[in-house]
Amino acid sequence: MTALLAGLALGLALIVPIGAQNVFVFGQGVALGMPRALWAVAGAGLCDTLLIVLGATGASALLDSVPGLRPAMLAAGAVFLAYLGVKSLRAKPSELADETGAWSPARTLRRTAAVSLLNPHAVLDTVGVLGAAIAAQAAASRAVFAAGAVAASWIWFLLLASAATGLRRFMTKERRVWFDRASGLILLVFAAWLAYEFARLLM
C-alpha cells in the first residue's frame, strides 16, 4: 500500500501541472462532453501507461544514448504545438458547431496520442523521472509503484474531462471562442519553450 500511494503521489505531481496534454484533454471535454471526451481520456491514459512501462523497463537510458533524439523530439514537439496553438487562436464561432459533427473516436485518439507523444518534456518526465523512481524501489514493490503512477494518470484525466464537461453547459459559442484562444496561447507558449530548448541544444 505504501508503494502504491507513493507511485500515485509522484504520478500526480508530474501530471497535474498545466501542460499541453492537460489543455488538450480539458478542451475535448468542453468541446465534446461525455461520453465522447472519454476517448481523449483513454488516449492520454494509454500513452502515459506506455511511457511509464517503458520507463520501468529502462528506456530512459535509451533516450540519453541515442544521438540527436532529444533535439528531434524538441523540434517535432515545437512544430506540432505551434500548429495546434495557431489553429485554436484562429477559432471562430461559426466553426465550433462543426467540431462535434466531425468527431470520431479514431480522430480523437490520434490527436491525443500526438499531443502526448510529441511533447518531449512529458516523455522525458514520464520515462526518465518515473523510470528512475521505479528502479529505486525494492524489486517486490516496483510493479505496485508503477501501478500507482498509472492510476494517477487515468484518475487525473478522468477528473479533468469531467470538470470540463460540467463547464460545457455554460459555454456559449462566443465563450468557447475565447476559451479556445486562451488554450491556443498556452500551447504557443509551450511551443516557444520547446523551440528555445531546441535552439539551446544546437549552440
Side-chain angles (χ1 to χ4, degrees), residues 153-193:
S153 175
W154 285 87
I155 291 170
W156 172 248
F157 290 129
L158 183 59
L159 288 174
L160 201 61
S162 298
T165 299
L167 291 174
R168 190 169 186 255
R169 69 184 69 177
F170 304 107
M171 288 286 187
T172 63
K173 289 183 183 179
E174 290 72 21
R175 290 173 181 170
R176 274 279 317 281
V177 165
W178 288 107
F179 172 81
D180 282 6
R181 289 173 180 171
S183 298
L185 184 60
I186 293 171
L187 292 173
L188 286 177
V189 169
F190 280 105
W193 182 24

Side-chain angles (χ1 to χ4, degrees), residues 8-109:
L8 184 69
L10 182 57
L12 287 173
L14 291 174
I15 294 164
V16 168
I18 189 169
Q21 194 180 35
N22 285 341
V23 170
F24 181 80
V25 172
F26 191 86
Q28 291 297 290
V30 170
L32 303 172
M34 294 294 195
R36 290 178 172 179
L38 289 177
W39 288 99
V41 172
L46 287 171
C47 286
D48 277 8
T49 300
L50 172 64
L51 294 174
I52 291 169
V53 170
L54 288 175
T57 55
S60 56
L62 178 64
L63 291 176
D64 295 328
S65 63
V66 177
L69 180 58
R70 182 179 173 85
M73 291 172 63
L74 289 169
V79 170
F80 184 69
L81 293 185
Y83 163 75
L84 290 180
V86 170
K87 184 178 179 182
S88 296
L89 281 176
R90 296 175 63 184
K92 298 177 182 178
S94 59
E95 297 172 347
L96 296 179
D98 297 330
E99 187 165 351
T100 301
W103 174 86
S104 73
R107 181 172 182 264
T108 300
L109 287 172

